[in-house]
Amino acid sequence: MTSQSWQLIKPVSAIVFDCDGTLSSIEGIDFLAKNNGVGDIVKSLTEQAMGQTGLNPELYQQRLELVFPRREQVYALGHQYFAHKVPDIIEVITLLKRLNKTIYLISAGVNPAVKMFGEMLQIPPQNVFAVDLRFDQQGNYLDFEHSSPLINNDGKRAIVQQLKAQHGNILHIGDGLNDIATQDMVTRFIGYGGVTYRKNIADACKYYINTPSLAALVPLALTLDEFATLLPEEQALYQKGLSAMHEGKVLLNFDNDKSPPLEDVCLKLDPSLSK
């Protein structure tokens, strides 16, 4: 197989994942809101932030004051994130780590829930960025980390800028406006619509995964040389991702008239796709 226009030429050394709606199929603040009787209004504010206006401190504060989460609810949310993890994510992260990719989780969600989820995915706590909450001695919500860059729509951009000092080539995958804000800074940005499809995000991305499984991330995250090093079970995951591309579940929004049809490329890797 020869290298194609969608295939990375130089390897990335770090992969940045969003959390809510990307690694897990739930939006954490919406999950807490539903349990506390304010689900509809908070969900509308979340969608406004993720798909329309972007995050800002006022909206962030408004949601938390509506939800008023207790400490034990936020701890329980970490387990809910894991219970609702998207298909194939454990296998994908395991493969990427074996290929010496540094994994980061950057989220506007709340700690300790996000860090707990990261730990369950075996992402080191120092590689997890989220917004800390404060509680009183009885576990009642008091306040959030106002100094966190993540309460702003360009917060992930600021953190990715810091990571670029350590990693020359970074891949970022996420579903919201605060994710796509990094698109011009990273080697490859991949939009994810496997939980919530957002047309404005899809239209702005070169690569957009529109299926729940994150197996499609694997072919988009590896070079041809890295593909050659995959173990048999990893090759199966790669081919599952390639099948999603072949079936049109990954939107490739770029023009390259010299590239052969994606179907021809897929068949070189997996002849069974012709059946």
Side-chain angles (χ1 to χ4, degrees):
M1 186 185 74
T2 58
S3 179
Q4 307 305 327
S5 56
W6 52 265
Q7 198 160 43
L8 285 170
I9 303 301
K10 295 182 178 180
V12 295
S13 61
I15 313 286
V16 172
F17 286 97
D18 173 44
C19 178
D20 301 55
T22 301
L23 286 181
S24 179
S25 63
I26 62 172
E27 289 283 346
I29 191 68
D30 294 354
F31 188 90
L32 294 171
K34 184 176 180 180
N35 288 343
N36 288 2
V38 289
D40 289 345
I41 186 171
V42 171
K43 185 176 181 180
S44 67
L45 291 171
T46 299
E47 183 51 38
Q48 176 185 330
M50 290 295 95
Q52 301 171 30
T53 63
L55 271 177
N56 60 71
E58 293 75 21
L59 187 148
Y60 203 92
Q61 180 171 342
Q62 183 181 5
R63 292 188 305 174
L64 281 169
E65 289 181 349
L66 285 165
V67 175
F68 205 75
R70 289 186 54 80
R71 179 164 46 210
E72 63 266 25
Q73 291 180 312
V74 177
Y75 275 99
L77 177 60
H79 295 282
Q80 289 296 329
Y81 275 139
F82 190 76
H84 293 84
K85 62 186 180 295
V86 298
D88 298 311
I89 187 52
I90 298 291
E91 295 80 3
V92 169
I93 289 179
T94 299
L95 182 157
L96 294 172
K97 289 173 68 175
R98 193 188 70 78
L99 295 180
N100 298 314
K101 314 293 184 185
T102 304
I103 307 299
Y104 291 94
L105 175 50
I106 304 180
S107 171
V110 296
N111 279 327
V114 175
K115 283 197 173 181
M116 288 176 61
F117 183 37
E119 182 178 357
M120 294 174 192
L121 296 175
Q122 298 188 13
I123 301 174
Q126 66 269 23
N127 291 1
V128 178
F129 299 83
V131 181
D132 291 328
L133 299 187
R134 289 198 303 114
F135 302 91
D136 65 19
Q137 291 184 345
Q138 289 72 44
N140 298 306
Y141 168 73
L142 288 176
D143 206 354
F144 65 95
E145 181 188 4
H146 289 260
S147 62
S148 172
L150 292 166
I151 64 176
N152 298 283
N153 197 58
D154 61 355
K156 293 188 179 183
R157 185 177 176 86
I159 293 175
V160 168
Q161 182 64 54
Q162 296 172 17
L163 296 180
K164 288 182 70 174
Q166 307 170 48
H167 306 281
N169 295 317
I170 296 174
L171 183 151
H172 183 178
I173 178 169
D175 71 317
L177 287 174
N178 58 346
D179 295 296
I180 203 171
T182 73
Q183 184 165 220
D184 66 322
M185 303 173 61
V186 296
T187 302
R188 173 160 291 179
F189 180 84
I190 300 174
Y192 177 75
V195 174
T196 302
Y197 172 81
R198 296 185 172 99
K199 186 178 186 302
N200 60 328
I201 303 292
D203 289 347
C205 295
K206 276 190 173 182
Y207 310 93
Y208 191 82
I209 296 174
N210 196 24
T211 182
S213 169
L214 275 179
L217 173 63
V218 177
L220 292 173
L222 303 185
T223 65
L224 184 60
D225 288 342
E226 288 173 324
F227 165 75
T229 70
L230 296 183
L231 302 172
E233 62 271 21
E234 295 170 337
Q235 290 182 8
L237 190 64
Y238 188 106
Q239 290 178 347
K240 181 176 181 178
L242 205 64
S243 295
M245 296 171 68
H246 171 74
E247 294 164 7
K249 296 176 181 176
V250 180
L251 309 182
L252 305 177
N253 298 327
F254 56 88
D255 296 321
N256 191 331
D257 294 335
K258 296 180 181 180
S259 294
L262 177 61
E263 180 176 354
D264 293 348
V265 178
C266 293
L267 289 175
K268 289 180 182 180
L269 271 181
D270 188 358
S272 68
L273 293 175
S274 63
K275 299 177 182 178

